[in-house]
Amino acid sequence: AAGVIQSPRHLIKEKRETATLKCYPIPRHDTVYWYQQGPGQDPQFLISFYEKMQSDKGSIPDRFSAQQFSDYHSELNMSSLELGDSALYFCASSYRLAGSGETQYFGPGTRLLVL
Amino acid sequence: AQSVAQPEDQVNVAEGNPLTVKCTYSVSGNPYLFWYVQYPNRGLQFLLKYITGDNLVKGSYGFEAEFNKSQTSFHLKKPSALVSDSALYFCAGRMNYGGATNKLIFGTGTLLAVQP
């Protein structure tokens, strides 16, 4: 079965640079979530989109922005990168219309290292 | 505030023995609860979820979890542990009100180590 695809899988950037993370949800899924997992920490919710509209916002820095496109893929744009942004970034997708008990399926993550 | 707690950082169990990974929650109303497993350098893999109905939920790879409303718990269990079950397990929850936000709130994770 098709899974959530994230690219790139690994990314190395320097401070103050920008990065773009991409997420391709499972086909027919209409909702995308972004989470950040710091070293040894639990995933923290950043932002979500439902039918291409932002549906919720968590602890996402103002330096970050995201959007969901017409083909439902999503991109997380990160600017003015800081050392503390080094983390594993997960994208998850779900099919909200399936009911309120939707399951979020996670991608493999993008490991970002800021030097 | 909504929260999910996993009181044990690590659980050690011998192969073939039953295992339990604990989770308690503080979520408004009737929560939706999930268990995910994370292998090294891998994404989060869905194991099972509780929405409503039977308190005992069966999931992938022989895992099950019991929802206990009075104790606000959702412990993960398996009758016979395998070495290959060794991984990081996350309990997660979210509110059940059908609103715009379906974000998951995660526990801090429990490292399960199964010794051969």
Side-chain angles (χ1 to χ4, degrees), chain B residues 59-86:
Chain B
S60 306
Y61 312 116
F63 284 94
E64 58 188 30
E66 185 168 10
F67 173 70
N68 188 317
K69 189 170 184 177
S70 63
Q71 297 183 4
T72 62
S73 67
F74 189 55
H75 301 331
L76 181 70
K77 300 181 180 183
K78 187 174 182 180
S80 179
L82 300 173
V83 172
S84 57
D85 292 330
S86 299

Side-chain angles (χ1 to χ4, degrees), chain A residues 54-105:
Chain A
Q54 181 180 309
S55 57
D56 195 12
K57 195 171 183 179
S59 51
I60 183 170
D62 292 340
R63 299 177 288 107
F64 294 5
S65 65
Q67 58 182 325
Q68 187 179 30
F69 294 85
S70 58
D71 64 350
Y72 292 95
H73 94 273
S74 177
E75 295 184 4
L76 178 66
N77 298 296
M78 311 160 72
S79 62
S80 303
L81 286 169
E82 301 174 357
L83 297 179
D85 296 329
S86 296
L88 191 55
Y89 290 84
F90 286 113
C91 171
S93 75
S94 68
Y95 181 49
R96 183 167 297 194
L97 292 179
S100 55
E102 67 185 83
T103 298
Q104 294 180 28
Y105 293 93

Side-chain angles (χ1 to χ4, degrees), chain A residues 42 56 100-104, chain B residues 32 36 49 94 101-102 104 107:
Chain A
D42 55 291
D56 195 12
S100 55
E102 67 185 83
T103 298
Q104 294 180 28
Chain B
Y32 291 156
Y36 287 85
K49 67 180 178 183
R94 69 172 179 85
T101 177
N102 290 333
L104 290 176

